[in-house]
Amino acid sequence: MEDDILSYSLADFQYNDNPDVLAPPEDFEKWINNPRISASFSFFEQQLLTAPKASTEILSNIDHKKRKVINLTSYNYLGLSSHPEVIQAVIEGVKKYGLSASGAPLLSGTYDLHVKFARMLADFKQKEDCILYSSGLGGNYGAIQGILRKNDYFVLDEKCHKSLVDGGLLSGARMLFFEHNNIRSLGMMLEKAKGKRTLVAVEGVYSMDGDLVKLPEIVKVCESYNARIYIDEAHSTLMFGENGRGVAEHFGLEEKMGVSFGTLSKSFGGVGGFVCSNAKIIRYLKCYSSPFNFSCAPSPPVVAGLIKALEVATRDSNLRDKLWKNVKYFKKQLLDLNLDLGGTESQVIPIIIGPSGEKLFKMAAEVQKRGLFLQPVDFPAVPANARRFRISVSSQLTREEIDQACNIIEDVIAKGLKK
Ligand SMILES: Cc1ncc(COP(=O)(O)O)c(C=O)c1O
């Protein structure tokens, strides 16, 4: 292992036969303590010292210095996390309700704010009802585990988020994966599930590649097999579609979505998750969805902020327009540098580096020292031959910040790739 330490990854240490159940595998300890591996891990859990705005400050794990950085890594796509009206709503919320809901929703954790916000979200997504969760991950777990049963089929795009995969495992349903956005492959899986209760999971925007679901084709094949669709719009709600309702709106296919999931931690700038669907299944979910009925309800002041965030983001298209202007400008600059941006069609823009983890982490340290907060993404989160940086464009970025970021990307990444 010492000789080829860099050829190992987190994909290799899930099996654990250490006799002490509270000890990791011995090889894992050896691996993670190797200086080259621990250097790559130093990019994790770096501390932000101010709000996740376009310009922020971090305490770097690389050289333990405080550093002002242009932030290309947070999911605060519309800047709502620190929007003045949102902050004011949170302050008023915390004064009135305190910090915690102090109870699970069915017993003592439901406040007027939760009911109001769930109604607003259901109306926004044009569904009959909505259930709120304290996290996006919990929402996907809870909805899938609450809807599917042992003899059902859960058919997922292979690039679906871990929360959907884990929700499927919890449900006990038979799980089948289809090749990413490949309609033929989906058809083959649906053929296997023929005649069974089947739910197909897709994402509006895929979070590592920034490409869109091929929804029109997927709807067509699902309808022919009587399969229902669950769309995760974590990275598309408030951004796609004429009214910001997401990729389903963008394609004019909202009515065909059986379930519309969203997270509140990305464009909404808060934390939590929500699931919109028909009123009967939402009522059923409230009885059988563990992350809902066995967990504390979302913090009321956060919900107060989220209500305001939804109002701000939907009262006009200003924030969305700014975001797409930035995406267009940023993308053009990057393409002019001849960088490989994969198939991005959204505010998530990967810069694909290739198979060398060493190159990726060397560049990552350098861009950070030059003033960019741009995190590397390594295997197994992405394929081993397509390690990358992943830019999350925000409406808050100014032209100057984008230009400055592109100068650093050119010097470090574009030139580094030519070496
Ligand atoms: C596609 C997708 N779904 C669900 C989640 C979970 O959301 P949260 O981070 O709000 O728990 C994420 C988070 O990154 C995601 O990318």
Side-chain angles (χ1 to χ4, degrees):
M1 184 188 211
E2 294 299 334
D3 297 341
D4 56 349
I5 199 103
L6 293 180
S7 68
Y8 289 82
S9 76
L10 283 175
D12 295 308
F13 303 104
Q14 208 148 24
Y15 177 73
N16 188 357
D17 60 358
N18 194 314
D20 179 357
V21 72
L22 294 184
E26 280 173 19
D27 274 1
F28 175 77
E29 284 297 292
K30 251 192 245 163
W31 177 74
I32 203 161
N33 288 321
N34 178 285
R36 292 162 89 185
I37 300 301
S38 57
S40 64
F41 268 73
S42 69
F43 289 93
F44 294 157
E45 297 184 63
Q46 302 198 75
Q47 297 168 50
L48 276 83
L49 305 175
T50 66
K53 294 184 181 177
S55 283
T56 185
E57 196 178 3
I58 60 168
L59 175 59
S60 170
N61 282 350
I62 298 168
D63 51 12
H64 311 288
K65 285 187 182 154
K66 284 185 185 174
R67 183 169 285 122
K68 290 212 161 33
V69 283
I70 297 170
N71 181 4
L72 302 182
T73 289
S74 294
Y75 296 133
N76 188 15
Y77 296 126
L78 298 178
L80 288 166
S81 155
S82 52
H83 190 286
E85 290 178 57
V86 172
I87 289 182
Q88 190 53 36
V90 174
I91 291 169
E92 283 164 22
V94 80
K95 282 187 184 159
K96 182 167 177 190
Y97 298 93
L99 182 59
S100 174
S102 301
L106 292 186
L107 296 180
S108 58
T110 295
Y111 290 65
D112 52 351
L113 290 177
H114 295 107
V115 175
K116 178 178 175 181
F117 188 44
R119 187 70 258 151
M120 284 170 76
L121 287 168
D123 291 346
F124 175 57
K125 288 282 181 172
Q126 305 196 328
K127 294 285 182 223
E128 287 175 5
D129 209 348
C130 170
I131 176 171
L132 293 179
Y133 293 88
S134 297
S135 84
L137 180 134
N140 269 339
Y141 270 19
I144 300 302
Q145 162 259 322
I147 292 171
L148 292 175
R149 297 291 174 258
K150 202 165 169 239
N151 291 320
D152 297 341
Y153 273 73
F154 188 34
V155 179
L156 304 92
D157 186 293
E158 63 183 350
K159 292 204 173 169
C160 275
H161 192 258
K162 183 93 167 84
S163 51
L164 288 163
V165 177
D166 287 354
L169 291 172
L170 269 175
S171 76
R174 179 100 192 266
M175 290 169 70
L176 298 172
F177 292 85
F178 64 96
E179 286 170 29
H180 177 52
N181 255 337
N182 182 325
I183 310 307
R184 203 168 148 259
S185 170
L186 170 60
M188 280 160 62
M189 297 307 144
L190 289 176
E191 194 58 40
K192 289 187 189 183
K194 209 169 179 175
K196 296 280 187 185
R197 284 165 29 111
T198 303
L199 189 65
V200 173
V202 294
E203 292 180 13
V205 166
Y206 284 90
S207 59
M208 288 296 157
D209 296 271
D211 58 334
L212 303 192
V213 59
K214 289 190 176 158
L215 205 54
E217 296 92 326
I218 285 177
V219 164
K220 219 168 163 187
V221 68
C222 284
E223 280 191 333
S224 72
Y225 283 92
N226 218 8
R228 304 304 299 272
I229 300 177
Y230 182 111
I231 187 163
D232 176 336
E233 298 245 35
H235 293 272
S236 40
T237 299
L238 298 186
M239 293 172 284
F240 276 83
E242 204 184 326
N243 299 288
R245 297 200 294 264
V247 162
E249 186 195 13
H250 167 82
F251 283 116
L253 290 167
E254 285 167 287
E255 277 177 22
K256 306 285 185 184
M257 301 300 105
V259 181
S260 177
F261 163 90
T263 165
L264 300 164
S265 67
K266 305 195 193 311
S267 54
F268 280 85
V271 66
F274 65 96
V275 170
C276 297
S277 189
N278 71 70
K280 286 182 181 169
I281 198 72
I282 296 295
R283 191 172 55 191
Y284 181 73
L285 265 183
K286 286 184 177 178
C287 304
Y288 289 101
S289 186
S290 301
F292 174 78
N293 56 15
F294 292 104
S295 185
C296 188
S299 163
V302 171
V303 179
L306 288 164
I307 288 172
K308 186 51 77 179
L310 182 56
E311 279 171 16
V312 171
T314 54
R315 68 186 171 204
D316 54 44
S317 62
N318 281 350
L319 292 177
R320 271 199 310 285
D321 295 345
K322 268 192 200 158
L323 175 76
W324 294 122
K325 241 184 183 167
N326 277 351
V327 171
K328 197 170 163 199
Y329 182 71
F330 210 148
K331 217 166 140 180
K332 179 170 183 319
Q333 308 290 98
L334 296 170
L335 286 171
D336 285 348
L337 296 175
N338 280 325
L339 292 164
D340 177 0
L341 309 183
T344 178
E345 300 168 85
S346 70
Q347 79 289 351
V348 177
I349 306 182
I351 301 178
I352 296 170
I353 300 302
S356 171
E358 217 168 355
K359 207 172 217 180
L360 176 74
F361 287 109
K362 219 167 140 192
M363 288 174 174
E366 193 54 35
V367 290
Q368 194 178 110
K369 284 182 188 156
R370 294 276 305 264
L372 270 196
F373 187 40
L374 175 57
Q375 289 285 54
V377 190
D378 196 9
F379 177 77
V382 293
N385 63 356
R387 293 168 215 256
R388 65 193 62 185
F389 292 97
R390 184 178 51 150
I391 296 173
S392 300
V393 181
S394 167
S395 62
Q396 303 174 105
L397 286 161
T398 61
R399 279 283 157 100
E400 293 70 38
E401 284 164 336
I402 296 175
D403 288 342
Q404 208 181 324
C406 286
N407 283 338
I408 300 171
I409 290 169
E410 178 175 15
D411 281 353
V412 180
I413 301 176
K415 288 184 183 159
L417 283 170
K418 283 186 192 140
K419 279 183 195 158

